Structures are given as structure tokens and as C-alpha cells.
Amino acid sequence: MDNMSITNTPTSNDACLSIVHSLMCHRQGGESETFAKRAIESLVKKLKEKKDELDSLITAITTNGAHPSKCVTIQRTLDGRLQVAGRKGFPHVIYARLWRWPDLHKNELKHVKYCQYAFDLKCDSVCVNPYHYERVVSPGIDLSGLTLQSSAPSSMLVKDEYVHDYEGQPSLSSAEGHSVQTIQHPPSNRASTEPYSTPAMLAPTEASTTSTTNFPNIPVASTNSTTTWTGSRTAAYTPTIPHHQNGHLQHHPPMHPGHYSPEYWCSIAYFEMDVQVGETFKVPSSCPIVTVDGYVDPSGGDRFCLGQLSNVHRTEAIERARLHIGKGVQLECKGEGDVWVRCLSDHAVFVQSYYLDREAGRAPGDAVHKIYPSAYIKVFDLRQCHRQMQQQAATAQAAAAAQAAAVAGNIPGPGSVGGIAPAISLSAAAGIGVDDLRRLCILRMSFVKGWGPDYPRQSIKETPCWIEIHLHRALQLLDEVLHTMPIADPQPLD
């Protein structure tokens, strides 16, 4: 048995040493041999009493997932993490790194539908079968067959805090059922050798479908040939299309031909924790690209410098974070009001974007999006926002009217008890207010520090330096929606 080859596959009846030796032959090489051996030995010993699961693991690993396999489970620990060779990490991530993706980050795994004990399901047992998980670095893209090339140091590709701790602090996600999650948006430095994919070339009206399963960004005109990620579910990294080839988007008619473009396309407020510092910076429509950086030059026109802003309440931690803003970000307004972000800083930025939430198939406000250095990504779509505000306003108006009718007892039916039950079920929809709709027109972005379950900070208001961007064309459209469809105030319960 000692000279077992990879082709001589063991079974659960073989000695632990033989099984470990065989499984070691399939590791991806991201971890040291010592760590890999300890992790595999630990797992095999735990599965020795569950022979069918051990056989499932052996089958999955030795066939590279070619054959269907069952869940391979271990007991969930109190904090959800497993300790191997003095290091702690989430068990499904540890084994996915060992056998599938050595550069995997803990937020990039999504379980397959038939996995009954997936980590996110919060069962007492956790499935660690690497082939029961898919890698989703960004909306709907499975990067299992791709290698990301980046000029950033490898330590920055895991977590952009000052100290590279590689899951060194406990994640709050293990305790929270529906907490905000961080979704990764790495840069793409290579031009695709494939032809342009069809979804990336859809006409604007088709590309703006309401489906969450295929909502591609359209590569937009650019004077250079940098590579942009299309955001479609084609897993293709396509370069931008030269200006003359992309006229169909540039000449796309405005939603309201008679509208007046706002004098300023956005206004940017800078915050440290929950305090606004300095005055709100307005960006003229004549400057479609604006840079927000950490330098001390005077602000004006197309550049907002945060370095020269003073704050008497600034702490040492905030001061330290501000030093890492560096070249910051570039915000670009395209067409009538779509917004793209380019991260120029050496550290990632973290964005709250309803557009990216939708791209990722998440509920609005349900995720934080980590945009890596050099990445260039669309974060706001005007047409989608307009549709969303129309739908929400209509829903709120209808719900408020139905709630009032229900309170008056005018909705008979099996679900009503004197009109009370429908009123309760409608109250949430009727409670949508102007502030909820305004949030659709706002982007928030934190420099250097993230928030959510992967970080000690629960909300963006706990991060040391962040900006809030109000998009004026979207707010203009919201004003029109509110004038044509006033949201009725919910009727008070008598």
C-alpha cells in the first residue's frame, strides 16, 4: 500500500495513512505540505466511522468531481471555524483551498443546491466536500477555470487591512443568519482571446432586462484599450470596444428627450466615522470623470482632495487610514447617468451599490462589494434605478390604498379577520417612504477598511474614511416619479 499510485484509488476500508497519501496527491499546492497533511489526516480520522461519507470524499477528490458525491460532514464548532496546525479557518474553505482553488477567499464560496449540510445552512454538521461548492468571485461568474493575474501583492488579494491576517479574526457571519456579505471584484489585466460574447453586445434596451440571471454590463466607449469586466454571466473578460464601434450606446436617446441635464452630475460628501468633514463637493456635468484622492492639493473641478480636510475630532486610527487612501478612486459618469468606478489606490475600496447587489442576485443593501486596486467596474445603472423607483413608488401607493381599504373592512376574503390581517401584511410595503427611494440614487464607498461580517465594523459609519455620492440625474428622475405618482401616507389605524 505504501507505493500506492494515484490510479490505485483507496476505499474507506483502507488504512488512514493510505487514504491520506492518495488524497495528498490531488492537493493544489497553495498550502505547505505539512499543513495539507495535517488537515487531510484530521478529516480522514473524523470520517473513519462514517464510511459512506469517506468513500464520497475519496470519489470526489480522486475523480476531480467528475462523479456525483454525497455530503462529507464534520461537526460544526461554536464559532464555525476549524483549527489545523495552529491556524483557524472555515472548514469548507480550508478543504476547497486544498483541493480546488489555492487562492480562494472565504467569501467566494456558494453551495450547490443539492448540498444538505452546506456551511451557510447553519446545520450542526458542515459539509466540506469541495465539489459541493462553487466559486463566485463576482455576480454569477465561476472562476474555477481562470487564474487571476494581478500586479497587486498577493497579501492584498485576501483582505485589505494593514496587517495581512488571513482569516485571523473571527467572522461575525457565523453568528448572523442574514448578515451583509462582502462580494469580491478583482481587476482583470489580460485581454480576452475569445470573441466578444453575445450578452455583452446587446442593445441597451435588451441589456437592461429585469432578470437577475443575466444582467450584463455593456462595455462602453473608451479612448484606450484597457480591459474591463463585462459583469455578464459569460465568465469572459472582454476589452472595451473602440469608440467608433460603440456608437449605439453613445447615441442612445435620453429617457426624457426634453429633460434638462443637471448642472452638477453628482455631489460627494466625505465622512470620518459618522461625522461629515468639510463641505459637500459638487462635480460639474462638464467634468464626467472626477478623482477623489488622499492628497493635499486644493480641490476643484474634476478633483476632490481629502488630504487637506481637517477634523478636530480625528483619531489616530482615522489618521492612519487616511494615509492609505493615496490615489483614491476615479468616478466616471457615462451616457445619461450610469456610473463606473476605477480603483487607483493601492488598497481596495468597499462599495454599497444596489446595482451590484442586483447583479449578484442579492437583495438591495444585502452585500458590500470589494473593488480591488486597478479594477474598473460599473456601480450604477440609471435605467435600472428609474425602473426600481417607479416599481417601489407604485407598490407603496397601491399598498397604502389597500391598507386603508382593509382597515375600513372593504377587503373580504379568507385571509381577512375584520380587515385586520391584510392591513398587517401590507404595512411593510405601505411604509416605503421618500428616504427609501432616495437611497436608490446614492452610492457609498469606504477607503481601505471594509465593514460587514468579515470585519470588526458593522456599518459604513464605523469606517474611518468614506464618501457618500448623490447622483443628481437619478434624483431628478425621482422627483418626476414622485410628482406623477405621489406616495399616499398610510392611513392611521382607528
Side-chain angles (χ1 to χ4, degrees), residues 68-340:
S69 51
K70 298 176 186 172
C71 285
V72 176
T73 62
I74 60 172
Q75 188 71 25
R76 181 185 288 272
T77 58
L78 282 175
D79 69 352
R81 297 186 301 159
L82 180 71
Q83 183 154 335
V84 177
R87 274 171 48 189
K88 273 195 161 190
F90 294 120
H92 63 312
V93 176
I94 289 174
Y95 294 107
R97 277 191 191 132
L98 269 182
W99 284 309
R100 292 195 72 183
W101 306 285
D103 61 342
L104 181 74
H105 183 262
K106 61 186 170 185
N107 290 306
E108 296 175 354
L109 286 183
K110 178 177 143 191
H111 63 270
V112 294
K113 288 178 183 173
Y114 51 83
C115 183
Q116 296 176 300
Y117 296 96
F119 183 82
D120 291 337
L121 298 180
K122 312 288 185 208
C123 303
D124 289 339
S125 296
V126 179
C127 178
V128 294
N129 184 338
Y131 292 94
H132 276 205
Y133 294 89
E134 294 170 344
R135 187 176 187 182
V136 277
V137 174
S138 247
I141 293 186
D142 180 0
L143 292 188
S144 54
L146 296 177
T147 302
L148 284 176
Q149 298 171 345
S150 171
S151 55
S154 58
S155 64
M156 283 170 48
L157 292 178
V158 176
K159 188 168 176 182
D160 285 76
E161 302 284 335
Y162 305 129
V163 180
H164 167 49
D165 63 0
Y166 215 72
E167 292 185 7
Q169 56 192 6
S171 166
L172 303 175
S173 61
S174 55
E176 302 267 334
H178 298 283
S179 50
V180 176
Q181 290 188 8
T182 313
I183 295 176
Q184 318 290 310
H185 298 275
S188 171
N189 287 344
R190 61 179 188 186
S192 173
T193 53
E194 302 172 24
Y196 293 122
S197 56
T198 307
M201 294 292 287
L202 289 176
T205 48
E206 294 172 70
S208 303
T209 65
T210 53
S211 162
T212 54
T213 54
N214 189 358
F215 200 92
N217 292 347
I218 305 164
V220 190
S222 171
T223 52
N224 58 29
S225 59
T226 56
T227 303
T228 58
W229 167 63
T230 63
S232 69
R233 297 186 174 248
T234 57
Y237 285 69
T238 59
T240 48
I241 303 170
H243 189 89
H244 64 276
Q245 289 183 317
N246 202 35
H248 72 276
L249 186 65
Q250 294 305 307
H251 298 118
H252 190 39
M255 281 180 280
H256 301 273
H259 87 273
Y260 294 99
S261 292
E263 184 183 356
Y264 301 96
W265 72 264
C266 77
S267 53
I268 307 169
Y270 169 65
F271 292 83
E272 292 178 359
M273 310 294 276
D274 59 352
V275 176
Q276 182 173 347
V277 177
E279 294 183 7
T280 299
F281 182 80
K282 293 184 176 180
V283 185
S285 293
S286 57
C287 299
I289 299 178
V290 61
T291 303
V292 183
D293 60 44
Y295 299 124
V296 295
D297 301 314
S299 297
D302 63 352
R303 189 173 174 204
F304 184 20
C305 295
L306 306 178
Q308 41 89 26
L309 298 175
S310 58
N311 175 12
V312 292
H313 302 294
R314 184 172 292 154
T315 63
E316 190 183 334
I318 293 173
E319 195 67 74
R320 203 162 57 241
R322 280 168 50 84
L323 293 174
H324 290 79
I325 296 173
K327 294 179 182 177
V329 294
Q330 222 172 43
L331 303 171
E332 185 172 358
C333 180
K334 294 195 174 189
E336 196 178 338
D338 294 353
V339 180
W340 292 62

